[in-house]
Amino acid sequence: MKIFTLFALVLCLGISTGFGKVYPGLKVLGDFRKLQLVVEDINSNKFVTHDEIVNTAKLRLFANNIKTQEFGSEYLYLNVNLVPLIDGVNFVYNVHLAFTKSSSTYGVSKTVAGVVFKPQQGQYSYLGICYDKSDLLDAIITRIDKFLVDYIESNMED
């Protein structure tokens, strides 16, 4: 009986940690299914292009019924940095993903927070080594998925 109880506890803990966390800062005014995507230019490399990163991010948002828009009071910021390893073939990469809001739209003083601010949210950045393009694009997808679980759950109606 003890083994069954322990197994059930481990199973419940594993399932409960698989869901997102609700962050009040991720709650938006209006339709949360429309989101501006800002992707920084990537340093020159032979590995991946800026367009490939943008397309990967957009497709992941579209797959979760999130439409991108050109301007908005909130935006999802994505920055990818690549540094070649000494072998010249593989890269160390950093994927930085953050949700940002307009101070004026949300009534936050620009003198305190600036024009935009980053509300409380989960950790969506990642550092790794990529041996081919798919490693990097998969890391971007994983970070966006992690953000989307929190973002969607934070915006679900009570």
Side-chain angles (χ1 to χ4, degrees):
M1 185 64 178
K2 287 182 183 179
I3 293 174
F4 176 76
T5 305
L6 181 61
F7 177 76
L9 179 63
V10 169
L11 183 62
C12 288
L13 285 174
I15 290 172
S16 68
T17 59
F19 298 107
K21 183 174 178 184
V22 173
Y23 291 96
L26 292 180
K27 181 99 172 136
V28 299
L29 303 172
D31 186 2
F32 76 95
R33 299 237 176 239
K34 294 179 182 174
L35 187 60
Q36 181 182 359
L37 176 65
V38 175
V39 180
E40 289 283 346
D41 287 334
I42 189 166
N43 53 319
S44 180
N45 69 86
K46 297 177 184 178
F47 198 69
V48 67
T49 67
H50 179 261
D51 287 344
E52 289 172 318
I53 292 170
V54 170
N55 290 339
T56 298
K58 281 186 174 182
L59 285 172
R60 204 62 197 162
L61 294 172
F62 293 158
N64 288 279
N65 204 25
I66 305 289
K67 295 178 182 177
T68 58
Q69 59 186 12
E70 197 157 329
F71 299 103
S73 297
E74 311 87 17
Y75 62 87
L76 183 60
Y77 172 80
L78 174 60
N79 185 22
V80 177
N81 294 296
L82 290 171
V83 177
L85 292 175
I86 203 163
D87 65 7
V89 176
N90 302 309
F91 287 83
V92 173
Y93 66 89
N94 170 262
V95 174
H96 176 70
L97 190 72
F99 182 69
T100 306
K101 290 182 168 182
S102 165
S103 297
S104 60
T105 302
Y106 286 90
V108 176
S109 171
K110 290 181 185 178
T111 58
V112 174
V115 176
V116 296
F117 69 99
K118 180 183 162 193
Q120 183 181 5
Q121 58 193 276
Q123 174 54 260
Y124 310 117
S125 296
Y126 190 75
L127 178 68
I129 297 176
C130 48
Y131 302 101
D132 60 37
K133 185 187 311 188
S134 66
D135 292 338
L136 175 62
L137 297 179
D138 287 346
I140 292 169
I141 289 169
T142 300
R143 298 293 98 195
I144 291 173
D145 285 350
K146 189 172 191 250
F147 163 76
L148 284 173
V149 170
D150 292 347
Y151 178 72
I152 291 170
E153 285 195 16
S154 296
N155 283 282
M156 297 300 288
E157 298 295 303
D158 293 327

